[in-house]
Amino acid sequence: MIMAKIDDIDKKILDVLIENTRTPFTDIAKRLNISAGTVHVRVKKMEESGIIHGSSLTVDYHQLGYTFIAYIGVFLEKTSTTQFVLSRIQEIPFVTVAHITTGKFNIFCKIRAKDTTHAKKIIFMLDDIDGVSRTETMISLEESINDKKRLLHKVFQDL
């Protein structure tokens, strides 16, 4: 695997964008004492090399009424059905994350729901997928840490 090369200016640009992806290039340029054109060219280069993929939007799910989070471990009848099951899981919009895992579960999912009744419907949807033998649910009492920014800052420091 070939890692893309970034220098200190790229790292500083990324540090600003981590905090707010909507920061105008002119503001970044002023903060770093470089031209806006330089910021534009460097961001474009990082997009083309695959370091940056678009930008993201942070949504407060609680404000939208989706206050229930659960993690669902999915057991498969056969591991050969993994891709089929994942394709069916992808059709359930309330499943926000799915990982193929080792250990106890074949697939591990995160769901967001309005309440326990809604979560039960989502869990039943997962259970009803052909190839799923059973599921095991863990309810999140509180999402205490959800901060990718700290990791990204550390990754850029270590490069």
Side-chain angles (χ1 to χ4, degrees):
M1 181 171 118
I2 300 171
M3 288 183 36
K5 301 265 190 240
I6 62 172
D7 63 15
D8 287 339
I9 300 293
D10 292 333
K11 290 177 189 178
K12 289 176 183 176
I13 291 169
L14 289 169
D15 264 340
V16 173
L17 292 174
I18 288 167
E19 292 305 318
N20 182 359
T21 58
R22 297 181 68 179
T23 303
F25 289 171
T26 53
D27 291 357
I28 297 170
K30 286 177 192 171
R31 204 179 303 180
L32 302 181
N33 202 25
I34 57 178
S35 75
T38 298
V39 175
H40 177 76
V41 167
R42 285 175 173 260
V43 169
K44 185 81 169 152
K45 179 184 82 173
M46 289 187 281
E47 287 174 338
E48 290 170 355
S49 69
I51 294 171
I52 297 174
H53 296 275
S55 61
S56 64
L57 176 67
T58 304
V59 173
D60 185 338
Y61 287 98
H62 285 261
Q63 293 291 326
L64 300 173
Y66 285 79
T67 58
F68 189 94
I69 298 171
Y71 296 89
I72 316 294
V74 179
F75 295 87
L76 301 180
E77 292 168 2
K78 295 180 188 175
T79 56
S80 60
T81 63
T82 302
Q83 292 306 316
F84 171 79
V85 171
L86 281 171
S87 69
R88 297 292 84 76
I89 290 172
Q90 194 166 7
E91 294 172 1
I92 304 170
F94 308 104
V95 177
T96 59
V97 179
H99 295 272
I100 298 172
T101 59
T102 62
K104 189 175 181 178
F105 311 112
N106 299 98
I107 299 171
F108 196 68
C109 302
K110 177 180 180 180
I111 67 164
R112 285 202 178 261
K114 293 178 181 179
D115 52 32
T116 55
T117 302
H118 186 215
K120 181 175 76 171
K121 290 177 185 175
I122 298 164
I123 294 164
F124 287 174
M125 285 183 218
L126 288 166
D127 278 330
D128 287 343
I129 296 172
D130 288 336
V132 171
S133 62
R134 67 183 185 91
T135 60
E136 186 174 310
T137 304
M138 289 144 279
I139 296 170
S140 171
L141 299 176
E142 175 183 290
E143 187 172 71
S144 303
I145 299 173
N146 184 351
D147 183 5
K148 296 176 198 159
K149 293 176 184 179
R150 292 179 306 121
L151 173 59
L152 288 172
H153 285 302
K154 180 63 177 152
V155 167
F156 296 140
Q157 285 174 1
D158 292 348
L159 289 176

